[in-house]
mmCIF file of all heavy atoms in Angstrom:
data_model
loop_
_atom_site.group_PDB
_atom_site.id
_atom_site.type_symbol
_atom_site.label_atom_id
_atom_site.label_comp_id
_atom_site.label_asym_id
_atom_site.label_seq_id
_atom_site.Cartn_x
_atom_site.Cartn_y
_atom_site.Cartn_z
ATOM 1 N N ARG A 94 -71.207 38.767 -38.745
ATOM 2 C CA ARG A 94 -71.275 37.316 -38.586
ATOM 3 C C ARG A 94 -70.095 36.695 -39.312
ATOM 4 O O ARG A 94 -69.692 37.167 -40.375
ATOM 5 C CB ARG A 94 -72.607 36.789 -39.102
ATOM 6 C CG ARG A 94 -72.853 37.080 -40.555
ATOM 7 C CD ARG A 94 -74.334 36.983 -40.916
ATOM 8 N NE ARG A 94 -74.545 37.334 -42.305
ATOM 9 C CZ ARG A 94 -74.641 38.575 -42.760
ATOM 10 N NH1 ARG A 94 -74.524 39.588 -41.947
ATOM 11 N NH2 ARG A 94 -74.848 38.793 -44.042
ATOM 12 N N ARG A 95 -69.576 35.651 -38.732
ATOM 13 C CA ARG A 95 -68.420 34.984 -39.319
ATOM 14 C C ARG A 95 -68.894 33.781 -40.105
ATOM 15 O O ARG A 95 -69.655 32.957 -39.612
ATOM 16 C CB ARG A 95 -67.452 34.570 -38.213
ATOM 17 C CG ARG A 95 -66.135 34.113 -38.739
ATOM 18 C CD ARG A 95 -65.141 33.981 -37.625
ATOM 19 N NE ARG A 95 -63.824 33.829 -38.206
ATOM 20 C CZ ARG A 95 -62.723 34.157 -37.612
ATOM 21 N NH1 ARG A 95 -62.759 34.671 -36.407
ATOM 22 N NH2 ARG A 95 -61.564 33.981 -38.195
ATOM 23 N N GLU A 96 -68.431 33.695 -41.344
ATOM 24 C CA GLU A 96 -68.764 32.574 -42.230
ATOM 25 C C GLU A 96 -67.453 32.021 -42.762
ATOM 26 O O GLU A 96 -66.950 32.479 -43.788
ATOM 27 C CB GLU A 96 -69.674 33.044 -43.369
ATOM 28 C CG GLU A 96 -70.996 33.626 -42.903
ATOM 29 C CD GLU A 96 -71.775 34.294 -44.021
ATOM 30 O OE1 GLU A 96 -71.272 34.338 -45.177
ATOM 31 O OE2 GLU A 96 -72.875 34.788 -43.748
ATOM 32 N N GLY A 97 -66.888 31.085 -42.059
ATOM 33 C CA GLY A 97 -65.595 30.521 -42.448
ATOM 34 C C GLY A 97 -64.500 31.552 -42.231
ATOM 35 O O GLY A 97 -64.309 32.057 -41.130
ATOM 36 N N SER A 98 -63.798 31.893 -43.289
ATOM 37 C CA SER A 98 -62.728 32.881 -43.173
ATOM 38 C C SER A 98 -63.197 34.278 -43.609
ATOM 39 O O SER A 98 -62.384 35.146 -43.858
ATOM 40 C CB SER A 98 -61.520 32.450 -44.009
ATOM 41 O OG SER A 98 -61.880 32.450 -45.375
ATOM 42 N N THR A 99 -64.515 34.445 -43.674
ATOM 43 C CA THR A 99 -65.086 35.741 -44.080
ATOM 44 C C THR A 99 -65.985 36.279 -42.976
ATOM 45 O O THR A 99 -66.731 35.536 -42.358
ATOM 46 C CB THR A 99 -65.913 35.579 -45.374
ATOM 47 O OG1 THR A 99 -65.064 35.053 -46.394
ATOM 48 C CG2 THR A 99 -66.484 36.894 -45.837
ATOM 49 N N ILE A 100 -65.894 37.559 -42.753
ATOM 50 C CA ILE A 100 -66.786 38.233 -41.805
ATOM 51 C C ILE A 100 -67.654 39.178 -42.622
ATOM 52 O O ILE A 100 -67.159 39.998 -43.390
ATOM 53 C CB ILE A 100 -65.989 39.009 -40.737
ATOM 54 C CG1 ILE A 100 -65.130 38.038 -39.929
ATOM 55 C CG2 ILE A 100 -66.930 39.796 -39.836
ATOM 56 C CD1 ILE A 100 -64.208 38.703 -38.942
ATOM 57 N N ARG A 101 -68.972 39.059 -42.449
ATOM 58 C CA ARG A 101 -69.928 39.867 -43.205
ATOM 59 C C ARG A 101 -70.770 40.701 -42.248
ATOM 60 O O ARG A 101 -71.043 40.290 -41.133
ATOM 61 C CB ARG A 101 -70.868 38.979 -44.016
ATOM 62 C CG ARG A 101 -70.172 38.151 -45.053
ATOM 63 C CD ARG A 101 -71.188 37.341 -45.866
ATOM 64 N NE ARG A 101 -70.521 36.403 -46.725
ATOM 65 C CZ ARG A 101 -69.997 36.706 -47.911
ATOM 66 N NH1 ARG A 101 -70.086 37.931 -48.361
ATOM 67 N NH2 ARG A 101 -69.396 35.793 -48.639
ATOM 68 N N ALA A 102 -71.201 41.850 -42.750
ATOM 69 C CA ALA A 102 -72.100 42.711 -41.989
ATOM 70 C C ALA A 102 -72.977 43.489 -42.945
ATOM 71 O O ALA A 102 -72.552 43.839 -44.057
ATOM 72 C CB ALA A 102 -71.312 43.665 -41.108
ATOM 73 N N ASP A 103 -74.196 43.734 -42.510
ATOM 74 C CA ASP A 103 -75.136 44.577 -43.241
ATOM 75 C C ASP A 103 -75.453 45.758 -42.327
ATOM 76 O O ASP A 103 -76.155 45.612 -41.331
ATOM 77 C CB ASP A 103 -76.406 43.806 -43.593
ATOM 78 C CG ASP A 103 -76.116 42.632 -44.503
ATOM 79 O OD1 ASP A 103 -75.255 42.774 -45.388
ATOM 80 O OD2 ASP A 103 -76.751 41.574 -44.324
ATOM 81 N N LEU A 104 -74.915 46.916 -42.679
ATOM 82 C CA LEU A 104 -75.063 48.097 -41.841
ATOM 83 C C LEU A 104 -76.200 48.962 -42.368
ATOM 84 O O LEU A 104 -76.162 49.410 -43.519
ATOM 85 C CB LEU A 104 -73.765 48.905 -41.834
ATOM 86 C CG LEU A 104 -72.509 48.128 -41.436
ATOM 87 C CD1 LEU A 104 -71.275 48.976 -41.663
ATOM 88 C CD2 LEU A 104 -72.605 47.693 -39.991
ATOM 89 N N ASP A 105 -77.207 49.205 -41.511
ATOM 90 C CA ASP A 105 -78.314 50.070 -41.895
ATOM 91 C C ASP A 105 -77.865 51.520 -41.770
ATOM 92 O O ASP A 105 -77.467 51.972 -40.701
ATOM 93 C CB ASP A 105 -79.519 49.810 -41.002
ATOM 94 C CG ASP A 105 -80.734 50.609 -41.428
ATOM 95 O OD1 ASP A 105 -80.733 51.139 -42.551
ATOM 96 O OD2 ASP A 105 -81.681 50.695 -40.626
ATOM 97 N N CYS A 106 -77.910 52.244 -42.870
ATOM 98 C CA CYS A 106 -77.431 53.632 -42.904
ATOM 99 C C CYS A 106 -78.567 54.622 -43.115
ATOM 100 O O CYS A 106 -78.374 55.694 -43.698
ATOM 101 C CB CYS A 106 -76.370 53.784 -43.991
ATOM 102 S SG CYS A 106 -74.932 52.755 -43.712
ATOM 103 N N GLY A 107 -79.760 54.281 -42.681
ATOM 104 C CA GLY A 107 -80.904 55.190 -42.772
ATOM 105 C C GLY A 107 -81.329 55.447 -44.202
ATOM 106 O O GLY A 107 -81.517 54.512 -44.983
ATOM 107 N N GLU A 108 -81.461 56.719 -44.548
ATOM 108 C CA GLU A 108 -81.920 57.098 -45.892
ATOM 109 C C GLU A 108 -80.931 56.689 -46.976
ATOM 110 O O GLU A 108 -81.306 56.559 -48.134
ATOM 111 C CB GLU A 108 -82.138 58.604 -45.964
ATOM 112 C CG GLU A 108 -83.310 59.100 -45.165
ATOM 113 C CD GLU A 108 -83.482 60.601 -45.307
ATOM 114 O OE1 GLU A 108 -82.841 61.212 -46.184
ATOM 115 O OE2 GLU A 108 -84.266 61.160 -44.537
ATOM 116 N N ALA A 109 -79.667 56.515 -46.598
ATOM 117 C CA ALA A 109 -78.654 56.159 -47.595
ATOM 118 C C ALA A 109 -78.824 54.724 -48.076
ATOM 119 O O ALA A 109 -78.417 54.384 -49.172
ATOM 120 C CB ALA A 109 -77.261 56.355 -47.021
ATOM 121 N N GLY A 110 -79.419 53.867 -47.257
ATOM 122 C CA GLY A 110 -79.623 52.479 -47.640
ATOM 123 C C GLY A 110 -78.897 51.538 -46.698
ATOM 124 O O GLY A 110 -78.662 51.846 -45.527
ATOM 125 N N VAL A 111 -78.515 50.396 -47.220
ATOM 126 C CA VAL A 111 -77.824 49.371 -46.436
ATOM 127 C C VAL A 111 -76.445 49.152 -47.052
ATOM 128 O O VAL A 111 -76.330 48.926 -48.255
ATOM 129 C CB VAL A 111 -78.630 48.045 -46.431
ATOM 130 C CG1 VAL A 111 -77.886 46.961 -45.686
ATOM 131 C CG2 VAL A 111 -80.009 48.260 -45.839
ATOM 132 N N LEU A 112 -75.431 49.220 -46.199
ATOM 133 C CA LEU A 112 -74.058 48.974 -46.650
ATOM 134 C C LEU A 112 -73.730 47.514 -46.376
ATOM 135 O O LEU A 112 -73.743 47.065 -45.236
ATOM 136 C CB LEU A 112 -73.074 49.889 -45.915
ATOM 137 C CG LEU A 112 -71.606 49.693 -46.280
ATOM 138 C CD1 LEU A 112 -71.354 50.069 -47.731
ATOM 139 C CD2 LEU A 112 -70.718 50.518 -45.365
ATOM 140 N N HIS A 113 -73.466 46.769 -47.439
ATOM 141 C CA HIS A 113 -73.066 45.363 -47.325
ATOM 142 C C HIS A 113 -71.545 45.328 -47.361
ATOM 143 O O HIS A 113 -70.927 45.738 -48.348
ATOM 144 C CB HIS A 113 -73.637 44.527 -48.484
ATOM 145 C CG HIS A 113 -75.128 44.570 -48.566
ATOM 146 N ND1 HIS A 113 -75.943 43.906 -47.685
ATOM 147 C CD2 HIS A 113 -75.959 45.217 -49.423
ATOM 148 C CE1 HIS A 113 -77.206 44.124 -47.999
ATOM 149 N NE2 HIS A 113 -77.237 44.917 -49.063
ATOM 150 N N ALA A 114 -70.963 44.844 -46.273
ATOM 151 C CA ALA A 114 -69.508 44.780 -46.181
ATOM 152 C C ALA A 114 -69.097 43.346 -45.895
ATOM 153 O O ALA A 114 -69.767 42.624 -45.159
ATOM 154 C CB ALA A 114 -69.004 45.702 -45.073
ATOM 155 N N ALA A 115 -67.985 42.943 -46.493
ATOM 156 C CA ALA A 115 -67.421 41.621 -46.241
ATOM 157 C C ALA A 115 -65.909 41.755 -46.185
ATOM 158 O O ALA A 115 -65.303 42.482 -46.977
ATOM 159 C CB ALA A 115 -67.831 40.641 -47.342
#
Side-chain angles (χ1 to χ4, degrees):
R94 60 200 177 278
R95 191 169 193 154
E96 300 170 358
S98 65
T99 302
I100 298 174
R101 297 183 188 278
D103 298 322
L104 306 172
D105 184 15
C106 299
E108 290 181 12
V111 177
L112 178 65
H113 301 286

